[in-house]
CSV table of all heavy atoms in Angstrom, one decimal:
chain,number,residue,atom,x,y,z
A,1,PHE,N,-37.6,-3.6,-10.8
A,1,PHE,CA,-37.5,-3.8,-9.4
A,1,PHE,C,-36.0,-3.8,-8.9
A,1,PHE,O,-35.2,-4.4,-9.5
A,1,PHE,CB,-38.2,-5.1,-8.9
A,1,PHE,CG,-39.7,-5.1,-9.1
A,1,PHE,CD1,-40.2,-5.9,-10.2
A,1,PHE,CD2,-40.5,-4.2,-8.3
A,1,PHE,CE1,-41.5,-5.9,-10.4
A,1,PHE,CE2,-41.9,-4.2,-8.6
A,1,PHE,CZ,-42.5,-5.0,-9.6
A,2,ARG,N,-35.7,-3.3,-7.8
A,2,ARG,CA,-34.4,-3.2,-7.1
A,2,ARG,C,-34.6,-3.9,-5.7
A,2,ARG,O,-35.5,-3.4,-5.0
A,2,ARG,CB,-33.7,-1.9,-7.0
A,2,ARG,CG,-33.6,-1.4,-8.4
A,2,ARG,CD,-32.0,-1.1,-8.6
A,2,ARG,NE,-31.8,-0.8,-10.0
A,2,ARG,CZ,-30.6,-1.0,-10.5
A,2,ARG,NH1,-29.7,-1.7,-10.0
A,2,ARG,NH2,-30.5,-0.6,-11.9
A,3,THR,N,-34.0,-4.9,-5.4
A,3,THR,CA,-34.2,-5.5,-4.2
A,3,THR,C,-32.9,-6.0,-3.4
A,3,THR,O,-31.9,-5.8,-4.0
A,3,THR,CB,-35.1,-7.0,-4.4
A,3,THR,OG1,-35.4,-7.4,-3.1
A,3,THR,CG2,-34.2,-8.0,-5.2
A,4,ASN,N,-33.0,-6.4,-2.3
A,4,ASN,CA,-32.0,-6.8,-1.3
A,4,ASN,C,-31.0,-5.7,-1.0
A,4,ASN,O,-31.0,-4.6,-1.7
A,4,ASN,CB,-31.3,-8.1,-1.6
A,4,ASN,CG,-30.1,-8.1,-2.6
A,4,ASN,OD1,-29.7,-6.9,-2.9
A,4,ASN,ND2,-29.8,-9.1,-3.2
A,5,LYS,N,-30.2,-5.8,0.1
A,5,LYS,CA,-29.4,-4.8,0.4
A,5,LYS,C,-28.2,-4.3,-0.4
A,5,LYS,O,-27.7,-3.2,-0.3
A,5,LYS,CB,-28.8,-5.1,1.9
A,5,LYS,CG,-27.9,-6.3,1.9
A,5,LYS,CD,-27.6,-6.7,3.3
A,5,LYS,CE,-26.7,-8.1,3.4
A,5,LYS,NZ,-26.4,-8.5,4.7
A,6,GLU,N,-28.0,-5.2,-1.5
A,6,GLU,CA,-27.0,-4.8,-2.5
A,6,GLU,C,-27.7,-4.0,-3.6
A,6,GLU,O,-26.9,-3.5,-4.5
A,6,GLU,CB,-26.3,-5.9,-3.1
A,6,GLU,CG,-25.1,-6.5,-2.4
A,6,GLU,CD,-25.8,-7.5,-1.1
A,6,GLU,OE1,-26.9,-8.0,-1.4
A,6,GLU,OE2,-25.2,-7.8,-0.2
A,7,ASP,N,-28.9,-3.8,-3.5
A,7,ASP,CA,-29.6,-3.0,-4.6
A,7,ASP,C,-29.5,-3.5,-6.0
A,7,ASP,O,-29.3,-3.0,-7.0
A,7,ASP,CB,-29.2,-1.6,-4.6
A,7,ASP,CG,-30.2,-0.7,-5.2
A,7,ASP,OD1,-31.4,-0.9,-5.3
A,7,ASP,OD2,-29.8,0.2,-5.9
A,8,ARG,N,-29.5,-5.0,-6.0
A,8,ARG,CA,-29.4,-5.6,-7.4
A,8,ARG,C,-30.6,-5.6,-8.1
A,8,ARG,O,-31.8,-5.8,-7.5
A,8,ARG,CB,-28.9,-7.1,-7.1
A,8,ARG,CG,-27.6,-7.1,-6.5
A,8,ARG,CD,-27.1,-8.5,-6.1
A,8,ARG,NE,-26.7,-9.3,-7.4
A,8,ARG,CZ,-26.2,-10.4,-7.4
A,8,ARG,NH1,-26.0,-11.0,-6.3
A,8,ARG,NH2,-26.0,-11.1,-8.5
A,9,PRO,N,-30.5,-5.4,-9.5
A,9,PRO,CA,-31.7,-5.5,-10.4
A,9,PRO,C,-32.4,-6.9,-10.2
A,9,PRO,O,-31.7,-8.0,-10.3
A,9,PRO,CB,-31.2,-5.2,-11.8
A,9,PRO,CG,-29.8,-4.7,-11.6
A,9,PRO,CD,-29.3,-5.3,-10.2
A,10,PHE,N,-33.7,-7.0,-10.0
A,10,PHE,CA,-34.5,-8.2,-10.0
A,10,PHE,C,-35.3,-8.3,-11.3
A,10,PHE,O,-36.0,-7.3,-11.6
A,10,PHE,CB,-35.4,-8.2,-8.7
A,10,PHE,CG,-36.4,-9.2,-8.6
A,10,PHE,CD1,-35.9,-10.6,-8.6
A,10,PHE,CD2,-37.7,-9.0,-8.6
A,10,PHE,CE1,-36.7,-11.7,-8.6
A,10,PHE,CE2,-38.6,-10.2,-8.5
A,10,PHE,CZ,-38.1,-11.4,-8.5
A,11,ALA,N,-35.2,-9.3,-12.1
A,11,ALA,CA,-35.7,-9.4,-13.3
A,11,ALA,C,-36.8,-10.6,-13.3
A,11,ALA,O,-36.6,-11.6,-12.7
A,11,ALA,CB,-34.7,-9.7,-14.4
A,12,LEU,N,-37.9,-10.3,-14.1
A,12,LEU,CA,-39.0,-11.3,-14.3
A,12,LEU,C,-39.3,-11.5,-15.6
A,12,LEU,O,-39.5,-10.5,-16.4
A,12,LEU,CB,-40.3,-10.7,-13.5
A,12,LEU,CG,-40.4,-11.0,-12.0
A,12,LEU,CD1,-41.7,-10.5,-11.5
A,12,LEU,CD2,-40.3,-12.4,-11.5
A,13,PHE,N,-39.3,-12.8,-16.0
A,13,PHE,CA,-40.0,-13.1,-17.4
A,13,PHE,C,-41.5,-13.5,-17.0
A,13,PHE,O,-41.8,-14.3,-16.1
A,13,PHE,CB,-39.3,-14.4,-17.9
A,13,PHE,CG,-37.9,-14.2,-18.3
A,13,PHE,CD1,-36.9,-14.3,-17.5
A,13,PHE,CD2,-37.6,-13.7,-19.6
A,13,PHE,CE1,-35.5,-14.1,-17.7
A,13,PHE,CE2,-36.3,-13.5,-20.0
A,13,PHE,CZ,-35.3,-13.7,-19.0
A,14,ALA,N,-42.4,-12.9,-17.7
A,14,ALA,CA,-43.9,-13.1,-17.4
A,14,ALA,C,-44.6,-13.1,-18.7
A,14,ALA,O,-44.2,-12.7,-19.7
A,14,ALA,CB,-44.4,-12.0,-16.5
A,15,GLY,N,-45.9,-13.5,-18.5
A,15,GLY,CA,-46.9,-13.5,-19.6
A,15,GLY,C,-48.3,-13.7,-19.2
A,15,GLY,O,-48.5,-13.8,-18.1
A,16,PHE,N,-49.2,-13.9,-20.1
A,16,PHE,CA,-50.6,-14.1,-19.8
A,16,PHE,C,-50.9,-15.7,-20.0
A,16,PHE,O,-50.5,-16.3,-20.9
A,16,PHE,CB,-51.5,-13.4,-20.9
A,16,PHE,CG,-51.6,-12.0,-20.6
A,16,PHE,CD1,-51.5,-11.1,-21.7
A,16,PHE,CD2,-51.8,-11.5,-19.3
A,16,PHE,CE1,-51.7,-9.6,-21.4
A,16,PHE,CE2,-52.0,-10.0,-19.1
A,16,PHE,CZ,-51.9,-9.3,-20.3
A,17,ASN,N,-51.7,-16.2,-19.0
A,17,ASN,CA,-52.1,-17.5,-19.1
A,17,ASN,C,-53.6,-17.5,-19.7
A,17,ASN,O,-53.9,-16.5,-20.2
A,17,ASN,CB,-52.1,-18.2,-17.7
A,17,ASN,CG,-53.1,-17.6,-16.8
A,17,ASN,OD1,-54.0,-16.8,-17.1
A,17,ASN,ND2,-53.1,-17.9,-15.5
A,18,HIS,N,-54.3,-18.6,-19.7
A,18,HIS,CA,-55.6,-18.7,-20.4
A,18,HIS,C,-56.6,-18.0,-19.7
A,18,HIS,O,-57.7,-17.7,-20.3
A,18,HIS,CB,-55.9,-20.3,-20.5
A,18,HIS,CG,-56.0,-21.1,-19.3
A,18,HIS,ND1,-54.9,-21.0,-18.4
A,18,HIS,CD2,-56.7,-21.9,-18.7
A,18,HIS,CE1,-55.1,-21.8,-17.4
A,18,HIS,NE2,-56.1,-22.3,-17.6
A,19,PHE,N,-56.4,-17.4,-18.3
A,19,PHE,CA,-57.4,-16.5,-17.8
A,19,PHE,C,-57.0,-15.1,-18.0
A,19,PHE,O,-57.5,-14.2,-17.2
A,19,PHE,CB,-57.4,-17.0,-16.3
A,19,PHE,CG,-58.2,-18.3,-16.0
A,19,PHE,CD1,-57.4,-19.5,-15.8
A,19,PHE,CD2,-59.6,-18.3,-16.1
A,19,PHE,CE1,-58.1,-20.6,-15.6
A,19,PHE,CE2,-60.3,-19.6,-15.8
A,19,PHE,CZ,-59.4,-20.7,-15.6
A,20,ARG,N,-55.9,-14.9,-18.8
A,20,ARG,CA,-55.3,-13.6,-18.9
A,20,ARG,C,-54.9,-13.0,-17.5
A,20,ARG,O,-55.0,-11.8,-17.2
A,20,ARG,CB,-56.3,-12.5,-19.6
A,20,ARG,CG,-56.5,-12.9,-21.1
A,20,ARG,CD,-57.2,-11.7,-21.8
A,20,ARG,NE,-56.5,-10.5,-21.8
A,20,ARG,CZ,-55.4,-10.3,-22.7
A,20,ARG,NH1,-54.9,-11.2,-23.4
A,20,ARG,NH2,-54.8,-9.1,-22.6
A,21,MET,N,-54.4,-14.0,-16.7
A,21,MET,CA,-53.8,-13.5,-15.4
A,21,MET,C,-52.2,-13.7,-15.7
A,21,MET,O,-51.8,-14.4,-16.6
A,21,MET,CB,-54.2,-14.5,-14.3
A,21,MET,CG,-55.7,-14.5,-14.0
A,21,MET,SD,-56.2,-15.8,-12.8
A,21,MET,CE,-55.4,-15.2,-11.3
A,22,THR,N,-51.4,-13.1,-14.9
A,22,THR,CA,-50.0,-13.0,-15.0
A,22,THR,C,-49.4,-14.3,-14.6
A,22,THR,O,-49.7,-14.8,-13.5
A,22,THR,CB,-49.3,-11.9,-14.2
A,22,THR,OG1,-49.9,-10.6,-14.6
A,22,THR,CG2,-47.8,-11.7,-14.5
A,23,SER,N,-48.6,-15.0,-15.4
A,23,SER,CA,-47.9,-16.1,-15.3
A,23,SER,C,-46.4,-15.9,-15.2
A,23,SER,O,-45.9,-15.1,-16.1
A,23,SER,CB,-48.1,-17.2,-16.2
A,23,SER,OG,-49.3,-17.9,-16.0
A,24,ILE,N,-45.7,-16.2,-14.1
A,24,ILE,CA,-44.1,-16.0,-14.1
A,24,ILE,C,-43.5,-17.3,-14.7
A,24,ILE,O,-43.7,-18.3,-14.3
A,24,ILE,CB,-43.8,-15.8,-12.7
A,24,ILE,CG1,-44.5,-14.4,-12.2
A,24,ILE,CG2,-42.3,-15.6,-12.5
A,24,ILE,CD1,-44.1,-14.0,-10.8
A,25,PHE,N,-42.6,-17.0,-15.6
A,25,PHE,CA,-41.8,-18.0,-16.3
A,25,PHE,C,-40.4,-18.2,-15.7
A,25,PHE,O,-39.8,-19.2,-16.1
A,25,PHE,CB,-41.7,-17.8,-17.7
A,25,PHE,CG,-43.1,-17.5,-18.4
A,25,PHE,CD1,-43.3,-16.5,-19.3
A,25,PHE,CD2,-44.3,-18.4,-18.2
A,25,PHE,CE1,-44.6,-16.4,-20.0
A,25,PHE,CE2,-45.4,-18.2,-18.7
A,25,PHE,CZ,-45.7,-17.2,-19.7
A,26,GLY,N,-39.9,-17.3,-15.0
A,26,GLY,CA,-38.6,-17.3,-14.6
A,26,GLY,C,-38.1,-16.0,-13.8
A,26,GLY,O,-38.8,-15.0,-14.1
A,27,ALA,N,-37.2,-16.1,-13.0
A,27,ALA,CA,-36.6,-14.9,-12.3
A,27,ALA,C,-35.2,-14.9,-12.2
A,27,ALA,O,-34.5,-15.9,-12.3
A,27,ALA,CB,-37.3,-14.9,-10.9
A,28,ALA,N,-34.7,-13.6,-12.0
A,28,ALA,CA,-33.2,-13.5,-11.9
A,28,ALA,C,-32.8,-12.3,-11.1
A,28,ALA,O,-33.5,-11.3,-11.0
A,28,ALA,CB,-32.7,-13.4,-13.4
A,29,LEU,N,-31.7,-12.5,-10.3
A,29,LEU,CA,-31.1,-11.5,-9.7
A,29,LEU,C,-29.7,-11.1,-10.5
A,29,LEU,O,-28.8,-12.0,-10.7
A,29,LEU,CB,-30.6,-11.8,-8.3
A,29,LEU,CG,-31.7,-11.8,-7.3
A,29,LEU,CD1,-31.2,-12.3,-5.8
A,29,LEU,CD2,-32.1,-10.4,-7.0
A,30,LEU,N,-29.6,-9.9,-10.9
A,30,LEU,CA,-28.4,-9.5,-11.7
A,30,LEU,C,-27.4,-8.7,-11.1
A,30,LEU,O,-27.7,-8.0,-10.1
A,30,LEU,CB,-29.0,-8.7,-12.9
A,30,LEU,CG,-30.1,-9.6,-13.9
A,30,LEU,CD1,-30.4,-8.7,-15.0
A,30,LEU,CD2,-29.3,-10.8,-14.5
A,31,TYR,N,-26.2,-8.9,-11.4
A,31,TYR,CA,-25.1,-7.9,-10.8
A,31,TYR,C,-25.2,-6.5,-11.4
A,31,TYR,O,-25.1,-5.6,-10.7
A,31,TYR,CB,-23.7,-8.6,-11.1
A,31,TYR,CG,-22.6,-7.8,-10.6
A,31,TYR,CD1,-22.2,-7.8,-9.2
A,31,TYR,CD2,-21.8,-7.0,-11.5
A,31,TYR,CE1,-21.2,-7.2,-8.8
A,31,TYR,CE2,-20.7,-6.3,-11.0
A,31,TYR,CZ,-20.4,-6.3,-9.7
A,31,TYR,OH,-19.4,-5.5,-9.2
A,32,ASP,N,-25.5,-6.5,-12.7
A,32,ASP,CA,-25.6,-5.2,-13.3
A,32,ASP,C,-26.6,-5.3,-14.6
A,32,ASP,O,-27.0,-6.4,-14.9
A,32,ASP,CB,-24.2,-4.6,-13.8
A,32,ASP,CG,-23.5,-5.7,-14.6
A,32,ASP,OD1,-24.1,-6.4,-15.5
A,32,ASP,OD2,-22.1,-5.7,-14.6
A,33,GLU,N,-26.7,-4.2,-15.3
A,33,GLU,CA,-27.7,-4.3,-16.4
A,33,GLU,C,-26.8,-4.0,-17.8
A,33,GLU,O,-27.2,-3.1,-18.4
A,33,GLU,CB,-28.8,-3.2,-16.4
A,33,GLU,CG,-29.7,-3.6,-15.2
A,33,GLU,CD,-30.9,-2.7,-14.9
A,33,GLU,OE1,-30.7,-1.7,-14.2
A,33,GLU,OE2,-31.9,-2.9,-15.6
A,34,THR,N,-25.8,-4.7,-17.9
A,34,THR,CA,-24.9,-4.6,-19.1
A,34,THR,C,-25.4,-5.6,-20.1
A,34,THR,O,-26.2,-6.6,-19.9
A,34,THR,CB,-23.4,-4.8,-18.7
A,34,THR,OG1,-23.3,-6.2,-18.3
A,34,THR,CG2,-23.0,-3.9,-17.8
A,35,THR,N,-25.0,-5.4,-21.4
A,35,THR,CA,-25.2,-6.3,-22.4
A,35,THR,C,-24.7,-7.7,-22.2
A,35,THR,O,-25.6,-8.8,-22.4
A,35,THR,CB,-24.6,-5.8,-23.8
A,35,THR,OG1,-25.1,-4.5,-24.2
A,35,THR,CG2,-24.9,-6.8,-24.9
A,36,GLU,N,-23.6,-7.9,-21.6
A,36,GLU,CA,-23.1,-9.2,-21.2
A,36,GLU,C,-23.9,-9.9,-20.2
A,36,GLU,O,-24.1,-11.1,-20.3
A,36,GLU,CB,-21.6,-9.0,-20.6
A,36,GLU,CG,-20.5,-8.6,-21.6
A,36,GLU,CD,-20.7,-7.0,-22.0
A,36,GLU,OE1,-21.3,-6.3,-21.2
A,36,GLU,OE2,-20.2,-6.6,-23.0
A,37,SER,N,-24.4,-9.2,-19.2
A,37,SER,CA,-25.4,-9.9,-18.2
A,37,SER,C,-26.6,-10.3,-18.9
A,37,SER,O,-27.1,-11.5,-18.6
A,37,SER,CB,-25.5,-8.9,-17.1
A,37,SER,OG,-24.4,-8.8,-16.2
A,38,PHE,N,-27.1,-9.5,-19.7
A,38,PHE,CA,-28.4,-9.9,-20.4
A,38,PHE,C,-28.3,-11.0,-21.5
A,38,PHE,O,-29.0,-11.9,-21.5
A,38,PHE,CB,-29.0,-8.6,-21.0
A,38,PHE,CG,-29.6,-7.7,-20.2
A,38,PHE,CD1,-29.3,-6.4,-20.3
A,38,PHE,CD2,-30.5,-8.0,-19.2
A,38,PHE,CE1,-29.8,-5.3,-19.5
A,38,PHE,CE2,-31.0,-7.1,-18.4
A,38,PHE,CZ,-30.8,-5.8,-18.4
A,39,VAL,N,-27.1,-11.0,-22.1
A,39,VAL,CA,-26.8,-12.1,-23.0
A,39,VAL,C,-26.8,-13.5,-22.3
A,39,VAL,O,-27.2,-14.5,-22.7
A,39,VAL,CB,-25.5,-11.9,-23.8
A,39,VAL,CG1,-24.9,-13.2,-24.5
A,39,VAL,CG2,-25.7,-10.8,-24.7
A,40,TRP,N,-26.0,-13.4,-21.2
A,40,TRP,CA,-26.0,-14.7,-20.3
A,40,TRP,C,-27.4,-15.0,-19.8
A,40,TRP,O,-27.8,-16.3,-19.8
A,40,TRP,CB,-25.1,-14.4,-19.1
A,40,TRP,CG,-25.1,-15.6,-18.1
A,40,TRP,CD1,-24.3,-16.8,-18.2
A,40,TRP,CD2,-25.9,-15.8,-17.0
A,40,TRP,NE1,-24.6,-17.6,-17.1
A,40,TRP,CE2,-25.6,-17.1,-16.4
A,40,TRP,CE3,-27.0,-15.1,-16.5
A,40,TRP,CZ2,-26.3,-17.6,-15.4
A,40,TRP,CZ3,-27.7,-15.5,-15.3
A,40,TRP,CH2,-27.3,-16.9,-14.8
A,41,LEU,N,-28.2,-14.1,-19.5
A,41,LEU,CA,-29.5,-14.4,-18.9
A,41,LEU,C,-30.4,-15.0,-20.0
A,41,LEU,O,-31.1,-15.9,-19.6
A,41,LEU,CB,-30.0,-13.1,-18.2
A,41,LEU,CG,-31.5,-13.3,-17.7
A,41,LEU,CD1,-31.6,-14.4,-16.6
A,41,LEU,CD2,-32.0,-11.9,-17.1
A,42,PHE,N,-30.4,-14.3,-21.1
A,42,PHE,CA,-31.3,-14.8,-22.1
A,42,PHE,C,-31.0,-16.2,-22.7
A,42,PHE,O,-31.8,-17.1,-22.9
A,42,PHE,CB,-31.4,-13.8,-23.3
A,42,PHE,CG,-32.0,-12.4,-23.0
A,42,PHE,CD1,-31.5,-11.4,-23.5
A,42,PHE,CD2,-33.1,-12.5,-22.1
A,42,PHE,CE1,-32.2,-10.2,-23.3
A,42,PHE,CE2,-33.7,-11.3,-21.8
A,42,PHE,CZ,-33.2,-10.1,-22.3
A,43,LYS,N,-29.7,-16.5,-22.7
A,43,LYS,CA,-29.1,-17.9,-23.1
A,43,LYS,C,-29.6,-18.8,-22.1
A,43,LYS,O,-29.9,-19.9,-22.3
A,43,LYS,CB,-27.7,-17.8,-23.3
A,43,LYS,CG,-27.2,-17.1,-24.6
A,43,LYS,CD,-25.6,-17.2,-24.8
A,43,LYS,CE,-25.3,-16.5,-26.1
A,43,LYS,NZ,-23.9,-16.6,-26.3
A,44,THR,N,-29.5,-18.5,-20.8
A,44,THR,CA,-29.8,-19.3,-19.7
A,44,THR,C,-31.2,-19.6,-19.6
A,44,THR,O,-31.7,-20.8,-19.5
A,44,THR,CB,-29.4,-18.8,-18.5
A,44,THR,OG1,-28.0,-18.6,-18.4
A,44,THR,CG2,-29.6,-19.6,-17.2
A,45,PHE,N,-32.1,-18.6,-19.9
A,45,PHE,CA,-33.5,-18.8,-20.0
A,45,PHE,C,-34.0,-19.6,-21.1
A,45,PHE,O,-34.8,-20.6,-20.8
A,45,PHE,CB,-34.2,-17.4,-20.2
A,45,PHE,CG,-35.7,-17.4,-20.3
A,45,PHE,CD1,-36.5,-17.6,-19.3
A,45,PHE,CD2,-36.2,-17.2,-21.5
A,45,PHE,CE1,-37.8,-17.6,-19.4
A,45,PHE,CE2,-37.6,-17.3,-21.8
A,45,PHE,CZ,-38.5,-17.4,-20.7
A,46,LEU,N,-33.4,-19.5,-22.2
A,46,LEU,CA,-33.7,-20.5,-23.4
A,46,LEU,C,-33.3,-21.9,-23.1
A,46,LEU,O,-34.0,-22.8,-23.4
A,46,LEU,CB,-33.1,-20.0,-24.6
A,46,LEU,CG,-33.6,-18.6,-25.3
A,46,LEU,CD1,-33.0,-18.3,-26.5
A,46,LEU,CD2,-35.2,-18.7,-25.4
């Protein structure tokens, strides 16, 4: 997904709950999709 007027990547962490419905575990707005941004995001998520 790309959202807002700056066209920034919108990221979702998601999975299945006990009804096999989608559960959202966290969300992020990223400046770019570089390794550095993803490293920061995954560390922050954990």
Side-chain angles (χ1 to χ4, degrees):
F1 296 109
R2 297 241 170 206
T3 189
N4 81 18
K5 57 188 178 184
E6 283 84 22
D7 198 35
R8 298 177 67 172
F10 173 56
L12 276 181
F13 294 91
F16 284 135
N17 64 12
H18 50 320
F19 289 97
R20 289 191 65 76
M21 299 171 69
T22 305
S23 281
I24 295 176
F25 304 136
L29 277 175
L30 302 176
Y31 178 76
D32 54 29
E33 294 182 270
T34 60
T35 299
E36 291 74 18
S37 288
F38 286 130
V39 166
W40 175 87
L41 178 57
F42 293 144
K43 286 183 177 179
T44 303
F45 175 74
L46 293 181

